[in-house]
Amino acid sequence: MGAIDKTNTTDRETWRSWIWRQQISGEFGTGFRGGPSLSIMGDTSQSLSDYDLPHLIMTYTALLSLAILRDGFSQLDRSGLIKFLHASQLPDGSFSPVPGSTEADIRPLYCAFSICHMLNDWSGIDVRAAISYIQRCRTYEGGYSQSPDQEASGGTTYCAIAALALLPLAIRSTTALTPFELKQTLRWLALMQEPTDAGGFKGRTEKTADACYSFWCGATLENLNAGHLVDPDANARFISSCQFKYGGIAKAPNHPPDPLHTYMSLASLAIYPPTGVAEPDAWVLQKMDPALNASRDTAEWAREKIRATE
């Protein structure tokens, strides 16, 4: 919403410095942890231990956060990061959040693809095995599940489609959905938007609308060049009904607000600003990069500065 430009230089430098302190290195390479809670008291070496490992999702978050703060990425351990990506991939093509874990699904896979995209370097991972894993997460409805043989969800469908959209063009052209698959996926996503006046998106078949899926489903349709299937005014009405009187946006009307649903709702509105409102300019937000899940300006900064570390 542009508020970062209103913060002072000292605060922004403090935030950047704190994030860089979460970059840790060791036998599995280099990545970012979520915070210092598991570090040994007084240890400033930023070396990892069996209990304090870099986390794939936190690494994706850290890189985009630093891009929001317009960091130059001079401290990025590029080769260590590529090694970390390799250490996080399992033989079936999936990725675990931390090296050595058996927990794996399509969410850290999306983060790995995002990091490779920002690096413009896919050498650390087995891309074909990862694509095969994505395909095995596809369900009979046309959506994608968290892992094979589970139920399709809007969030994990976003991870699957956005991951494919982030691939280099030469690879992407060979992984496109067939016409039937595309039609099936578009139908499922379009049916996730409630046909009532409420107009919100649900995440799974026969569930109720939830504000975060306005982004997960809406951005997926945009990644598939099918944003015309979204009713932006109905979506905005639902998000408006989720606002809290003291600020923030909740998952649904009459629920308490939280940062996640506030962000996802605003990100959805950035892609689909309503048209049939009294003050349409008041709804206009920064344009989004729907595949990387960041403003276009931040996404371009991340690509330019991170790739320059090569």
Side-chain angles (χ1 to χ4, degrees), residues 115-180:
I115 295 166
C116 289
H117 173 81
M118 288 185 273
L119 288 168
N120 197 29
D121 190 327
W122 298 78
S123 63
I125 69 172
D126 185 336
V127 177
R128 291 297 174 187
I131 292 171
S132 176
Y133 183 81
I134 294 173
Q135 292 168 338
R136 293 200 303 277
C137 290
R138 185 176 177 86
T139 76
Y140 72 94
E141 295 176 293
Y144 292 79
S145 58
Q146 189 166 312
S147 56
D149 303 319
Q150 293 188 6
E151 182 182 14
S153 171
T156 49
T157 299
Y158 169 84
C159 289
I161 298 299
L164 296 175
L166 290 167
L167 285 166
L169 185 59
I171 301 176
R172 199 188 321 156
S173 61
T174 66
T175 61
L177 303 182
T178 67
F180 173 77

Side-chain angles (χ1 to χ4, degrees), residues 151-152 191-192 194 200-210 213:
E151 182 182 14
L191 288 173
M192 290 300 101
E194 295 283 6
F201 281 83
K202 54 194 175 186
R204 291 179 288 163
T205 302
E206 295 300 325
K207 297 295 183 179
T208 56
D210 181 324
Y213 292 106

Side-chain angles (χ1 to χ4, degrees), residues 41-308:
M41 187 73 69
D43 181 8
T44 59
S45 64
Q46 294 181 276
S47 59
L48 54 83
S49 70
D50 291 341
Y51 306 101
D52 188 21
L53 295 170
H55 194 285
L56 201 51
I57 297 173
M58 295 300 105
T59 300
Y60 159 79
T61 303
L63 293 176
L64 283 184
S65 297
L66 288 166
I68 291 170
L69 294 165
R70 300 301 187 256
D71 188 87
F73 290 96
S74 61
Q75 301 178 62
L76 185 66
D77 181 358
R78 183 185 180 92
S79 60
L81 182 52
I82 293 171
K83 182 179 180 181
F84 168 53
L85 289 168
H86 177 75
S88 299
Q89 189 170 22
L90 276 64
D92 67 353
S94 64
F95 288 79
S96 58
V98 295
S101 171
T102 56
E103 175 192 5
D105 59 61
I106 207 163
R107 297 169 300 174
L109 183 151
Y110 163 74
C111 293
F113 273 41
S114 296
I115 295 166
C116 289
H117 173 81
M118 288 185 273
L119 288 168
N120 197 29
D121 190 327
W122 298 78
S123 63
I125 69 172
D126 185 336
V127 177
R128 291 297 174 187
I131 292 171
S132 176
Y133 183 81
I134 294 173
Q135 292 168 338
R136 293 200 303 277
C137 290
R138 185 176 177 86
T139 76
Y140 72 94
E141 295 176 293
Y144 292 79
S145 58
Q146 189 166 312
S147 56
D149 303 319
Q150 293 188 6
E151 182 182 14
S153 171
T156 49
T157 299
Y158 169 84
C159 289
I161 298 299
L164 296 175
L166 290 167
L167 285 166
L169 185 59
I171 301 176
R172 199 188 321 156
S173 61
T174 66
T175 61
L177 303 182
T178 67
F180 173 77
E181 288 174 336
L182 178 60
K183 182 178 180 180
Q184 190 182 41
T185 298
L186 293 178
R187 178 181 181 275
W188 183 78
L189 287 165
L191 288 173
M192 290 300 101
Q193 186 169 22
E194 295 283 6
T196 63
D197 289 340
F201 281 83
K202 54 194 175 186
R204 291 179 288 163
T205 302
E206 295 300 325
K207 297 295 183 179
T208 56
D210 181 324
C212 70
Y213 292 106
S214 290
F215 175 81
W216 297 128
C217 296
T220 305
L221 284 165
E222 185 69 8
N223 283 326
L224 291 170
N225 299 313
H228 60 280
L229 297 178
V230 174
D231 183 339
D233 292 347
N235 181 55
R237 282 196 299 272
F238 177 76
I239 290 174
S240 294
S241 71
C242 295
Q243 290 186 101
F244 188 64
K245 61 182 177 180
Y246 297 127
I249 301 173
K251 64 179 289 185
N254 302 315
H255 282 248
D258 61 79
L260 184 148
H261 288 89
T262 300
Y263 170 76
M264 292 300 174
S265 296
L266 293 173
S268 169
L269 293 172
I271 301 173
Y272 300 109
T275 57
V277 292
E279 299 180 70
D281 290 346
W283 293 80
V284 176
L285 301 168
Q286 296 181 58
K287 296 295 184 181
M288 287 285 293
D289 182 317
L292 206 53
N293 191 2
S295 72
R296 287 183 186 173
D297 288 346
T298 292
E300 285 302 318
W301 180 278
R303 282 188 281 263
E304 177 186 348
K305 299 302 180 181
I306 294 174
R307 292 175 183 184

